[in-house]
Amino acid sequence: MNFDHRRVQIVLALRRLGVTDTAVMAAMEAIPRELFVPPSLRRHAYQDATLPIGYEQTLSQPSVVGIMTQALRLTDRMKVLEVGTGSGYQTVVLARLARRVYSVERHKPLLENAEARFQDLQINNITTKCGDGTIGWKEQTPFDRIIVTAASLDVPPVLADQLTIGGVMVVPIGLESTLQKIVRVTRTMNGLETEELRDVNFVPLIPTEVLAKV
Ligand code: SAH
């Protein structure tokens, strides 16, 4: 199977779907998405589809990764927090565009798989933690950018507090199994400014009080 050819295809698809940022497209073209899915699903790695990665979790579809990453407006000086490492695909896209990425995942086996991929790909600017990402990563605050890759009911206030002034958070907002909206939140001197970007479908972000019971 020719994955190189498929990577080019995915860039063409991203463009059709509204991803215009050339740095984001170049990052996604360079990353072998087939390494982030279970072997049995590798032939689907370059479809614009959400793919299962175990533990009822999913690898986001490329167009959503592209749209969310583009919405962050990253530069290579930025420190980024990601909530929901999952397969690690989005993490690697961020790591190619930002200075350092801090990524939190609650499922240890998923995190271990993701960490092994970061090592294989020799990516050294990702720091991970297993735990509840809704409380952010206090020791590393503030963050220039925050991305939440699971659907939240509202803009997590604790995370917003961990942004720099002028910092941006991109988060899918809405109920599980209904459509969610990707929302971009900018922290200003006067509070939060919110823009709705587009509809998506994500697995839920598990709130802290629920996590305490499992
Ligand atoms: N960016 C990932 C998407 C994974 S799906 C990828 O492209 O592969 C969302 C992930 O968020 C899941 O792995 C899920 O376990 C994780 N998650 C959900 N609630 C969480 C929480 N409160 N803290 C940390 N991780 C959480």
Side-chain angles (χ1 to χ4, degrees):
M1 196 173 312
N2 185 342
F3 285 123
D4 284 341
H5 173 66
R6 295 194 174 201
R7 283 214 285 268
V8 174
Q9 294 291 317
I10 218 160
V11 168
L12 296 175
L14 286 174
R15 204 169 291 167
R16 276 199 304 277
L17 293 158
V19 180
T20 49
D21 185 322
T22 48
V24 173
M25 284 195 278
M28 291 181 66
E29 189 183 4
I31 301 165
R33 193 169 184 259
E34 70 276 11
L35 301 184
F36 294 80
V37 299
S40 61
L41 294 175
R42 287 209 168 138
R43 66 204 152 90
H44 301 294
Y46 291 96
Q47 291 166 6
D48 193 42
T50 303
L51 296 172
I53 53 172
Y55 302 88
E56 296 177 12
Q57 304 305 322
T58 52
L59 167 67
S60 306
Q61 71 202 82
S63 57
V64 171
V65 173
I67 296 280
M68 289 183 75
T69 309
Q70 173 170 291
L72 283 172
R73 298 181 179 135
L74 292 167
T75 73
D76 60 8
R77 305 177 67 100
M78 289 178 174
K79 185 169 147 189
V80 183
L81 172 68
E82 178 188 42
V83 175
T85 320
S87 68
Y89 178 74
Q90 170 79 72
T91 326
V92 171
V93 176
L94 298 170
R96 287 189 74 101
L97 297 166
R99 178 169 58 82
R100 179 151 282 281
V101 182
Y102 293 86
S103 187
V104 188
E105 167 59 52
R106 57 181 286 251
H107 283 298
K108 192 147 205 254
L110 287 182
L111 189 59
E112 284 169 352
N113 286 341
E115 282 166 344
R117 291 171 182 135
F118 305 153
Q119 268 199 348
D120 287 350
L121 293 169
Q122 296 183 323
I123 298 172
N124 303 316
N125 60 338
I126 299 173
T127 310
T128 59
K129 183 164 88 167
C130 186
D132 176 12
T134 61
I135 58 170
W137 196 323
K138 207 159 169 258
E139 298 76 12
Q140 296 298 342
T141 52
F143 295 98
D144 303 298
R145 298 290 185 261
I146 297 180
I147 180 169
V148 183
T149 70
S152 183
L153 290 180
D154 49 19
V155 175
V158 182
L159 294 184
D161 280 348
Q162 296 189 3
L163 278 174
T164 53
I165 303 291
V168 170
M169 167 160 49
V170 173
V171 49
I173 302 279
L175 292 168
E176 183 188 4
S177 75
T178 60
L179 270 192
Q180 297 117 21
K181 289 208 180 293
I182 297 177
V183 171
R184 175 167 53 204
V185 181
T186 307
R187 183 173 181 195
T188 71
M189 298 283 266
N190 306 318
L192 302 179
E193 276 170 16
T194 303
E195 300 158 81
E196 287 184 358
L197 299 182
R198 71 172 242 186
D199 292 340
V200 270
N201 208 282
F202 269 90
V203 294
L205 179 71
I206 311 296
T208 304
E209 47 296 359
V210 177
L211 278 181
K213 290 184 200 133
V214 285

